[in-house]
Amino acid sequence: MAEGDINDGSLYGRCEDYFLFSGEIFLSNGLRAFLYLAALAYCFIGLSSITARFFLSMENVVKQTREVVQIDPFTNKEVTKRVKIWNYAIADIALLAFGTSFPQISLATIDAIRNIGQLNAGGLGPGTLVGSAAFDLFPIHAVCVVVPRAGTLKKISDIGVWLVGLFWSFWAYVWLYIILEVWTPNVITLWEALLTVLQYGLLLFHAYAQDKRLPYLSIPFARSERPEDWAPENDDSCKDGNNEHGECQEILQFSEGNDRNVVGIFSIHSDKDTGQLYQNLPDADIAEESASTCCKKDIEKKFNLFSVWERQFLDAALLKTTESKKTDSFYLRMARVLWHSILAPWRLLFAFVPPYQIAHGWIAFICSLIFISWIAYVVTKLTDLISCVTGINPYVIAFTALASGTSWPDLVASKIAAERQITADSAIANITCSNSVNIYIGIGIPWLINTVYNFFKYREPLYIDNASGLSFSLLVFFATSVGCIAVLVLRRLIFGAELGGPRLWAWLTAVYFMLLWVIFVILSSLKVSGFI
């Protein structure tokens, strides 16, 4: 290896791999690292862009209902009602947590498929998922604590469901440490991988049992003011056009420009004399449009798939929005136009996703996940190249850049929930449940793929190269997470709520959570790099 190559920016000399063109290898490693990092950041922007469509499709999925015939206790007559198919807690875990964790799951699965046939597991997936868990627990909690308005307190209404999610979240990392260091050190067997995946089913069952307060399977904690519907409920009062409280939820959004208003996947609680109502908090643009369209059921009858799909492409090509037109400052308008120009390629690409209004949103939901998987594949290629040209350990990149970028949907979902709901249930449940999904599905499925192949091909288990570094990160995460949960409990005892409260204490809590994240990243990076 020539001396000049060593000083070219890489610990290993010239990197012979390339992303698009073979001519890339003739560029300096410093320039290549900059270009690959810029491409990685652009991929994360793409993830944030597809997240909006993903949430809108998920909203329609959970709105799906079925007819139930009940006996009216006063008239003894049969009454047909439409009830939600999705349970509140199950929707949080099976759709919200799983969907927002799908970038990490895709990345880990792709990493496993790339390494299939090798006895040693790839480290990119597990490193990203453990780092993502730390990002979920610390920075996202920090954001959720400060986003409520000054003085507003938002507490967990169903402590029982939260404790169930918290238990399975902590147990996931304890379980991972056991199979890495205690039962079969440095290797993963087929049965260990299978048991890891099956525990996700136990989490779903336990959460459902707790939500329904099933005897012998639930914690006897009372539930306070929590909406029973994960998504807003349709209101019959829309039929007459005189909706006094504005509860109509049949807002048919034709414009992709409205995708930023993903708050529709959550609801807020409203106490009226007539009972509890759940209504959206739309932004001004939607409020203006919905004033004339909300409560007009004939819109659904005239729904034209191709016209709506065509509108998606038109909106994706437009650089100006209602927000930019209302902005007085010339520089702010130009900044918005510049930002929309950067987003334009992603918006045009994602316009191919079918409208979320068809098939209860399932087609758009699945197509969104496919696009997320494609972006995850590009991210894995870029990460390999960044590691190649810089000599940085892939685990360090996974703990930091990949974990932060792929956790963006988690941050968006929890932030919206903390802003829009009167309780902290969905915001915090998304964090704890996403951490469980990261282990049981995100690590379990890739390890299951590799162990099944190795078992039938070589009769060998799956070997983990950097098991000690991963185990060390688990110990650091467990210790810092105890400090995080302890502060949440302390806030509940002092302020009566986990989120919000006096601005000074909210910001101090956020800084403390961010400090815990920095400690985790530094210690984990030093360990996998061999410095400690």
Side-chain angles (χ1 to χ4, degrees):
M1 185 181 297
E3 181 179 353
D5 289 337
I6 297 177
N7 296 328
D8 196 31
S10 171
L11 297 177
Y12 306 105
R14 187 179 301 278
C15 177
E16 298 296 332
D17 296 330
Y18 58 90
F19 182 57
L20 294 176
F21 310 105
S22 58
E24 295 172 17
I25 63 175
F26 299 107
L27 301 175
S28 67
N29 284 340
L31 177 59
R32 292 180 67 185
F34 172 78
L35 293 176
Y36 295 148
L37 284 171
L40 188 65
Y42 196 63
C43 285
F44 293 152
I45 293 175
L47 279 178
S48 67
S49 184
I50 191 62
T51 296
R53 287 194 177 276
F54 169 77
F55 280 142
L56 287 170
S57 64
M58 185 163 47
E59 175 190 5
N60 270 26
V61 169
V62 297
K63 280 182 177 179
Q64 190 174 355
T65 61
R66 60 186 176 89
E67 287 189 356
V68 174
V69 178
Q70 298 176 341
I71 303 297
D72 191 310
F74 300 102
T75 62
N76 290 327
K77 294 182 179 179
E78 290 187 350
V79 178
T80 302
K81 294 183 178 181
R82 300 200 66 86
V83 298
K84 300 289 183 181
I85 292 178
W86 286 91
N87 171 265
Y88 186 97
I90 298 300
D92 271 340
I93 301 173
L95 289 179
L96 182 60
F98 179 82
T100 55
S101 297
F102 198 76
Q104 302 95 302
I105 296 172
S106 298
L107 190 147
T109 304
I110 292 170
D111 188 45
I113 294 174
R114 291 192 311 165
N115 289 278
I116 199 166
Q118 301 181 17
L119 292 177
N120 296 336
L124 193 62
T128 301
L129 287 160
V130 174
S132 175
F135 188 90
D136 286 351
L137 195 64
F138 304 130
I140 296 183
H141 263 129
V143 171
C144 290
V145 166
V146 298
V147 293
R149 291 191 299 270
T152 303
L153 291 171
K154 300 189 178 184
K155 67 178 182 179
I156 300 171
S157 64
D158 198 335
I159 290 292
V161 171
W162 178 68
L163 288 176
V164 168
L166 187 64
F167 165 77
W168 285 100
S169 176
F170 273 98
W171 168 248
Y173 293 91
V174 173
W175 166 257
L176 198 59
Y177 184 85
I178 290 174
I179 61 178
L180 283 173
E181 295 292 335
V182 180
W183 282 358
T184 53
N186 302 324
V187 301
I188 299 297
T189 65
L190 173 60
W191 292 109
E192 288 172 339
L194 184 60
L195 287 174
T196 302
V197 175
L198 291 178
Q199 288 181 74
Y200 179 66
L202 294 178
L203 164 63
L204 290 173
F205 175 76
H206 196 183
Y208 179 81
Q210 180 62 43
D211 188 75
K212 293 299 184 180
R213 297 302 191 270
L214 299 181
Y216 308 110
L217 297 174
S218 60
I219 307 172
F221 279 108
R223 176 191 300 149
S224 58
E225 46 185 49
R226 189 208 71 180
E228 289 301 322
D229 293 310
W230 185 81
E233 186 177 7
N234 298 337
D235 193 284
D236 292 337
S237 61
C238 295
K239 295 178 180 179
D240 58 15
N242 298 319
N243 191 2
E244 180 181 357
H245 303 295
E247 302 96 358
C248 179
Q249 306 300 338
E250 295 295 325
I251 301 176
L252 192 57
Q253 295 168 295
F254 294 101
S255 174
E256 197 270 350
N258 289 334
D259 283 359
R260 68 185 182 277
N261 301 292
V262 296
V263 298
I265 64 171
F266 300 104
S267 57
I268 66 163
H269 181 274
S270 175
D271 287 315
K272 302 289 182 183
D273 295 335
T274 57
Q276 295 180 346
L277 301 174
Y278 300 97
Q279 50 188 327
N280 282 337
L281 281 183
D283 288 345
D285 296 343
I286 283 188
E288 293 171 359
E289 293 179 8
S290 64
S292 60
T293 62
C294 184
C295 306
K296 293 184 180 178
K297 299 295 184 176
D298 58 332
I299 290 181
E300 290 185 358
K301 298 178 182 178
K302 297 178 181 178
F303 175 76
N304 188 308
L305 170 62
F306 295 102
S307 64
V308 175
W309 210 336
E310 179 185 8
R311 181 60 186 235
Q312 289 184 177
F313 285 95
L314 292 175
D315 288 334
L318 292 177
L319 296 182
K320 290 186 178 181
T321 64
T322 306
E323 280 187 353
S324 62
K325 293 177 182 178
K326 291 181 179 180
T327 304
D328 295 330
S329 172
F330 171 78
Y331 298 103
L332 286 179
R333 287 200 300 270
M334 289 299 100
R336 289 187 182 276
V337 170
L338 176 62
W339 177 246
H340 283 286
S341 301
I342 295 174
L343 287 178
W346 289 121
R347 289 160 60 94
L348 286 170
L349 178 63
F350 299 148
F352 285 97
V353 176
Y356 63 88
Q357 294 95 341
I358 63 175
H360 300 292
W362 277 110
I363 298 178
F365 183 84
I366 295 172
C367 289
S368 298
L369 295 185
I370 292 174
F371 273 108
I372 289 173
S373 298
W374 174 76
I375 296 175
Y377 173 76
V378 176
V379 166
T380 58
K381 297 287 291 183
L382 290 171
T383 304
D384 288 341
L385 288 169
I386 293 171
S387 178
C388 183
V389 300
T390 62
I392 299 176
N393 191 304
Y395 270 98
V396 176
I397 301 175
F399 284 140
T400 53
L402 289 187
S404 304
T406 55
S407 294
W408 180 257
D410 287 311
L411 176 61
V412 171
S414 292
K415 177 181 178 292
I416 292 172
E419 286 177 329
R420 302 292 179 169
Q421 286 195 328
I422 66 161
T423 69
D425 291 74
S426 288
I428 295 182
N430 178 52
I431 296 171
T432 55
C433 293
S434 292
N435 285 350
S436 301
V437 171
N438 283 345
I439 299 300
Y440 300 134
I441 301 297
I443 292 182
I445 291 294
W447 279 355
L448 185 61
I449 293 172
N450 289 142
T451 53
V452 167
Y453 186 90
N454 288 1
F455 178 79
F456 288 103
K457 181 70 174 180
Y458 308 113
R459 296 292 175 179
E460 292 282 346
L462 181 67
Y463 295 91
I464 310 298
D465 286 335
N466 204 346
S468 61
L470 190 59
S471 300
F472 178 82
S473 297
L474 291 172
L475 290 176
V476 175
F477 173 76
F478 193 85
T480 51
S481 61
V482 169
C484 175
I485 300 302
V487 169
L488 289 178
V489 173
L490 190 62
R491 285 179 56 86
R492 179 67 174 246
L493 296 176
I494 296 176
F495 302 115
E498 291 79 14
L499 306 182
R503 300 305 291 171
L504 175 62
W505 289 106
W507 279 105
L508 288 176
T509 304
V511 170
Y512 171 73
F513 288 159
M514 293 301 298
L515 180 62
L516 290 178
W517 182 64
V518 171
I519 292 173
F520 168 82
V521 169
I522 291 176
L523 292 180
S524 298
S525 300
L526 291 175
K527 178 64 177 180
V528 298
S529 299
F531 291 103
I532 58 175

